[in-house]
Structure formats: structure tokens, C-alpha cells
Amino acid sequence: MSRSKIIAIDGKKIELFFSTWALMHISERAGGDISTLGTWLDNGKNIAETLARFSYILADLANGAVIKHNADISLGLEQGDKKPLFPDDYFINILNVSDIMTYREEIFAALNLGADYEIPEDVELTEKDPDLAEIEREKKEERRAAT
């Protein structure tokens, strides 16, 4: 399963990859905690600042893909030429204000791609509450004693 997402911005295909590098940069931009990213994106002082924030996050995710691509080439895992990193202001020049909600969806879709995990078959998906199990046992014993 691929952990990257291809999006189209201004007719250009851009690969987004939620890497550790991207996580560190996005967290720093969002005030140190990536869990506040949605609020941070939505709370720009004006539309220009909001669009700039989206631009920075897209640059971080796109650079995550570039860094992975370049590392794969350096390690001989992939053939081709290395790519330059996107400057922070690259996406500011090509984003369309009317597509801001689409960018938001694409950003969060890319973040979810980086958070995949697999639960082994022999692991139960629900955790038993030991206190609840004890209460249920006591109720059964009371019912048995009553009959």
C-alpha cells in the first residue's frame, strides 16, 4: 500500500508524503503540536494568511515526498534524478482561494495515509474492562443465589 498521495494543483501533479520530516515541520508550524493543525489552518487572521498556512503545509508534505524520492535514489532503491525541494512560497503562487476546502481535504487525507497500522489477526479489537467483568460476574452470582 502506498503511503503517498498525488494531488493536482494548478494542473500540476504533486506527490504528498507524510514523513517524519514532514511531521516535525508541520508540528512546528502549528505551534508544536500537530493535533492542533486543523484549528491552526482555520484561524488565519485573513484569507491571505489562511492560504499561506495551507501553502506551507502542502510544501512540507510535498517535500516529504521529495526527500523520500531523493533518499531512495541515493540508496539505489530507485532510478532517476534527484529533485529539488519546494520553497515555502511555491504553493502560495499557485493555490486558488476557491479550492481551499479541497486543499484541506487533501492535506488531511495525506496525513491519514502516513498513520496506517495493521492489527495482527490474533489480537482482539475490543479491550475488556476488568471492573465491568467483575460487576457482570457478581450479577450472575446474585441471580444464581436468588433462584
Side-chain angles (χ1 to χ4, degrees):
M1 178 175 169
S2 176
R3 289 182 41 220
S4 65
K5 177 164 184 54
I6 307 293
I7 65 169
I9 299 177
D10 195 39
K12 296 167 183 63
K13 290 183 178 181
I14 308 286
E15 182 180 8
L16 304 179
F17 184 75
F18 184 46
S19 63
T20 303
W21 184 93
L23 170 69
M24 293 184 320
H25 284 80
I26 293 168
S27 294
E28 185 177 315
R29 291 185 195 278
D33 184 2
I34 197 166
S35 69
T36 63
L37 179 61
T39 303
W40 181 79
L41 282 171
D42 295 338
N43 287 338
K45 295 176 189 166
N46 53 48
I47 193 66
E49 184 177 321
T50 300
L51 205 56
R53 289 178 177 195
F54 277 87
S55 172
Y56 300 147
I57 302 306
L58 287 167
D60 291 337
L61 292 169
N63 284 333
V66 170
I67 289 168
K68 181 185 181 311
H69 169 81
N70 291 347
D72 286 348
I73 289 173
S74 292
L75 294 170
L77 302 173
E78 194 174 303
Q79 299 296 316
D81 296 324
K82 290 186 176 184
K83 299 177 183 178
L85 294 176
F86 289 94
D88 277 350
D89 63 350
Y90 175 78
F91 290 97
I92 290 173
N93 297 317
I94 64 171
L95 293 183
N96 184 337
V97 176
S98 65
D99 292 332
I100 200 160
M101 291 311 292
T102 301
Y103 303 140
R104 187 180 212 293
E105 290 171 15
E106 298 290 7
I107 286 169
F108 284 99
L111 296 178
N112 285 333
L113 287 172
D116 287 345
Y117 59 92
E118 188 174 312
I119 298 172
E121 290 180 25
D122 59 335
V123 173
E124 281 192 46
L125 297 179
T126 58
E127 183 177 319
K128 304 272 188 216
D129 182 341
D131 294 328
L132 181 59
E134 184 179 340
I135 292 169
E136 289 174 356
R137 243 187 337 270
E138 288 173 359
K139 284 182 181 180
K140 283 182 183 178
E141 289 173 9
E142 288 174 4
R143 280 187 224 134
R144 285 184 198 146
T147 56

